[in-house]
Amino acid sequence: MYSELKTLKIHPIDNVIVALEDLKKGRYIKVNGDLIEITRDVKSKHKLSIHNLNPNDKIIMYGVVVGVAQKSITKGSPINTHNIKDEIQKFSIDNYKKSYCWKFPNVDKFSNKNFLGYKRSNGSVGTENNWLVIPLVFCQNRNVEIIKATLLKELGYENNSQGSYDLENLIKHFKKGSSAEQLMDIEIDFNNRKKNNPLFPNVDGIYFLTHDGGCGGTREDSKTLCNLLAGYINNPNVSGATILSLGCQHAQIALLKRSLKKLKFCKSKPLYFLEQQKSKSEKQFIAEAIKKTFIGLVEANKTERTPQPLHSLVVGLECGGSDGFSGITANPTVGYFSDLLVALGGSVIISEFPELHGIEQDLINRCLELDKAKKFVQIMKTYNAKAEALGSGFYANPSPGNIKDGLITNAIKSAGAAKKGGTSPVVDVLDYTEQLTKKGLNLLCTPGNDVESTTGIVASGANLILFTTGLGTPTGNPAVPVIKISSNTSLFNNMNDIIDFNSGDIIDGKETVESCGEKLLKYITEVASGKKIVCARQLGQNDFIPWKKGISL
């Protein structure tokens, strides 16, 4: 029997459609006037063919090649890992023509809007005013943790942590001799710490980076680490930093200073460099670090929020735990926001190069300059070739969770992920740790690993990150707010403690991509002004993982 079932054909030339709800075998759907019988059950978020496909036929979605049929696929049958293999649309720099024409959106309603930000002496603007404590080498991680335990508690920033679980009831029953089965039935209470009043009200947070680098590995690793840390220190959301060194490691203080010198560094920021091997004792070394940090916070507290134009926003774009709806709700919403911000004169950064695999030609054609297009092609080919030499490749990017929820090839995942970048021209292509210098859409080489990627985005100058997810990802960043955007309403309702914004209403027809994108811009303005605190900040999710340029997809 035929009844209206919810499906979506994304592009006119697509030969597969997306199931917006569970579709049962034997039911019928209508696509472009053609009545199609569903041959097998199809889960929501997955795809089904609307034509009979023969082995080696190309499978088209989003208007691009996303795979090739491994066997015959009858009309109305689901696409799965058994009948499709990854294949991408070929790309070439020879096809580049400097003729991309962008129809930018109307931004009249936002043209006079501002946010309350922190203006730096080099002209950049922060959405937060944070202090960083940074180790140059993993040997300093323990010292960083000691300083963290002291400063957060004593200065009133302990509310940035996620609270604690009360084990008193569990311990009491254990002492009474309860069995393992009985202990499993005991309730554990969660205690939110009361919000303290920070001693320095204009300092939004004190954050502590730890990592496993700085020594061992290659000297190139340490050079890259110093470039990354320099980017964090120079980030507009950072008011100053305390840098701890052991003294004998590859990542020397001098190397970090050289990295800072290459940047348009905000010289008014207080920086304190301490070297443990020159100190009298560990106790004295930590005490000096605490005192200098305190003095730096006194200076940082003098900076206040002032009205700033929206074009001062530099927004990083990330996706993680993506699902079959990410490419039709959350990512297009972010893409429309991106176009709005670029039209207003702002900047966006799209990263995760393994997840741009398959739509290279589109991005090549959108580059305003030939040398940028060539740089993009060179980075993509080198990255993928290195992965293949080690027995992998971009094709291996989708995770089990991606596949389970409909992203069964990397090309399908990439075509949806790229929607975050909207439709504006590409003004620049950046390699890992390179700084953003041009207004507009920038491409930044990072891996697909969520935290390695967000870590890199912040180092290149983002003052805020939008993070789309269909499955739910609990992560954040120590230097900038990370706004989580759900692709479906079910996720937003089930994981409301980690999700900030819902785009799932698009599936239900309650919102359009455009209306949702405009709502997102308004929400971002509130976050950038410090009026809304994102979930990642409330939960103390401050993840930092440098990429060592190995094969991370």
Side-chain angles (χ1 to χ4, degrees):
M1 60 176 290
Y2 168 73
S3 61
E4 291 292 335
L5 298 174
K6 295 175 68 174
T7 62
L8 175 67
K9 185 178 182 183
I10 298 173
H11 192 278
I13 69 170
D14 290 355
N15 56 16
V16 297
I17 59 173
V18 185
L20 302 183
E21 62 181 352
D22 289 345
L23 306 178
K24 295 295 183 181
K25 176 182 176 180
R27 302 290 294 276
Y28 286 83
I29 56 174
K30 189 178 287 187
V31 181
N32 296 337
D34 186 17
L35 204 60
I36 300 173
E37 182 181 3
I38 301 166
T39 64
R40 290 176 56 191
D41 289 353
V42 182
K43 289 185 177 181
S44 174
K45 306 181 185 180
H46 285 258
K47 290 79 187 167
L48 66 153
S49 175
I50 55 174
H51 300 299
N52 290 317
L53 300 174
N54 297 314
N56 299 317
D57 280 354
K58 295 187 185 301
I59 295 174
I60 311 294
M61 186 177 172
Y62 296 102
V64 299
V65 177
V66 295
V68 62
Q70 293 194 83
K71 57 180 70 172
S72 295
I73 304 173
T74 57
K75 182 166 62 175
S77 297
I79 303 296
N80 54 48
T81 54
H82 302 294
N83 59 23
I84 182 177
K85 63 180 179 180
D86 195 67
E87 182 166 305
I88 65 165
Q89 191 164 288
K90 304 301 181 184
F91 65 95
S92 172
I93 195 67
D94 296 334
N95 296 328
Y96 172 79
K97 293 179 181 179
K98 191 177 179 180
S99 59
Y100 185 72
C101 183
W102 181 46
K103 185 179 179 181
F104 55 84
N106 187 309
V107 292
D108 289 346
K109 66 177 72 173
F110 300 105
S111 59
N112 295 318
K113 300 294 183 181
N114 293 313
F115 71 97
L116 297 175
Y118 296 95
K119 186 73 176 282
R120 305 299 179 191
S121 62
N122 65 353
S124 64
V125 178
T127 62
E128 291 182 332
N129 193 36
N130 298 319
W131 189 274
L132 298 183
V133 179
I134 301 172
L136 276 177
V137 62
F138 60 84
C139 305
Q140 292 300 307
N141 286 348
R142 176 180 171 275
N143 291 337
V144 169
E145 293 294 344
I146 293 172
I147 296 169
K148 177 180 178 180
T150 301
L151 290 180
L152 293 186
K153 181 179 180 180
E154 297 298 330
L155 301 184
Y157 289 94
E158 203 170 25
N159 62 291
N160 286 341
S161 60
Q162 73 176 80
S164 63
Y165 291 87
D166 188 352
L167 301 187
E168 183 179 348
N169 203 25
L170 197 63
I171 293 170
K172 180 177 71 175
H173 282 80
F174 165 72
K175 289 182 176 179
K176 287 182 176 180
S178 297
S179 66
E181 290 78 10
Q182 290 170 326
L183 291 175
M184 284 299 297
D185 293 330
I186 303 301
E187 293 287 335
I188 298 179
D189 294 327
F190 179 76
N191 297 323
N192 284 308
R193 289 188 172 94
K194 292 181 180 179
K195 187 171 182 179
N196 297 320
N197 294 315
L199 182 63
F200 303 110
N202 293 327
V203 177
D204 293 293
I206 311 170
Y207 296 104
F208 303 81
L209 312 186
T210 56
H211 56 82
D212 63 357
C215 203
T218 67
R219 296 202 176 194
E220 188 64 28
D221 286 340
S222 292
K223 181 180 177 181
T224 300
L225 176 64
C226 285
N227 289 339
L228 182 83
L229 296 177
Y232 268 70
I233 294 168
N234 195 47
N235 188 283
N237 282 26
V238 175
S239 57
T242 305
I243 300 99
L244 305 185
S245 169
L246 179 60
C248 57
Q249 74 277 353
H250 287 322
Q252 290 283 302
I253 290 174
L255 186 59
L256 177 59
K257 287 183 175 180
R258 281 200 293 271
S259 295
L260 285 167
K261 194 173 182 180
K262 296 175 186 175
L263 308 180
K264 187 183 177 183
F265 181 60
C266 182
K267 295 183 179 179
S268 63
K269 290 184 181 182
L271 300 181
Y272 302 106
F273 296 91
L274 297 98
E275 190 165 288
Q276 187 169 5
Q277 289 174 346
K278 291 182 179 179
S279 65
K280 295 179 181 178
S281 68
E282 184 172 280
K283 181 180 178 181
Q284 182 268 337
F285 176 72
I286 293 173
E288 183 182 3
I290 290 172
K291 283 187 287 185
K292 287 186 173 179
T293 301
F294 188 91
I295 293 167
L297 291 168
V298 172
E299 186 65 27
N301 193 53
K302 296 176 182 177
T303 304
E304 298 182 354
R305 290 186 184 269
T306 57
Q308 301 296 329
L310 291 179
H311 65 69
S312 298
L313 290 173
V314 181
V315 180
L317 313 177
E318 180 73 18
C319 54
S322 299
D323 72 346
F325 286 166
S326 291
I328 57 180
T329 58
N331 292 342
T333 293
V334 169
Y336 188 72
F337 156 79
S338 300
D339 286 347
L340 290 173
L341 185 59
V342 170
L344 288 165
S347 303
V348 292
I349 303 172
I350 187 168
S351 56
E352 299 181 289
F353 271 27
E355 296 177 18
L356 300 180
H357 190 51
I359 47 85
E360 289 96 338
Q361 193 64 54
D362 175 65
L363 294 172
I364 289 168
N365 296 341
R366 286 165 61 182
C367 287
L368 290 180
E369 299 173 11
L370 177 59
D371 64 325
K372 303 303 180 187
K374 287 181 176 179
K375 183 177 181 181
F376 174 62
V377 170
Q378 182 269 323
I379 292 175
M380 289 293 283
K381 287 186 174 180
T382 301
Y383 193 164
N384 192 38
K386 189 174 181 181
E388 289 180 343
L390 295 174
S392 188
F394 285 165
Y395 69 86
N397 175 269
S399 70
N402 295 149
I403 295 169
K404 182 181 177 182
D405 267 50
L407 302 179
I408 57 178
T409 70
N410 190 52
I412 292 176
K413 183 178 180 180
S414 294
K419 294 295 181 182
K420 299 193 300 294
T423 60
S424 67
V426 175
V427 297
D428 208 353
V429 177
L430 309 173
D431 207 345
Y432 186 66
T433 75
E434 287 187 328
Q435 296 287 293
L436 181 143
T437 60
K438 296 185 178 183
K439 296 283 190 178
L441 174 62
N442 290 255
L443 308 183
L444 170 65
C445 180
T446 69
N449 178 290
D450 301 338
V451 178
E452 287 178 336
S453 183
T454 54
T455 297
I457 291 171
V458 173
S460 290
N463 55 17
L464 194 150
I465 288 177
L466 301 182
F467 190 118
T468 65
T469 182
L471 305 175
T473 306
T475 190
N477 184 271
V480 309
V482 177
I483 297 174
K484 302 284 183 46
I485 302 163
S486 64
S487 71
N488 59 87
T489 303
S490 177
L491 171 65
F492 181 73
N493 292 333
N494 292 339
M495 301 185 76
N496 196 247
D497 59 331
I498 70 168
I499 304 294
D500 301 286
F501 187 91
N502 179 35
S503 66
D505 285 341
I506 295 172
I507 294 291
D508 303 324
K510 299 176 182 177
E511 294 276 0
T512 65
V513 167
E514 292 76 16
S515 66
C516 208
E518 290 185 354
K519 285 175 65 176
L520 180 59
L521 177 52
K522 293 174 184 176
Y523 182 84
I524 286 167
T525 304
E526 295 287 292
V527 173
S529 300
K531 295 178 180 179
K532 287 189 181 295
I533 307 302
V534 298
C535 292
R537 282 284 183 250
Q538 296 177 41
L539 293 170
Q541 295 165 343
N542 304 309
D543 304 312
F544 177 83
I545 303 179
W547 181 31
K548 293 183 179 179
K549 298 300 290 273
I551 296 308
S552 179
L553 298 174

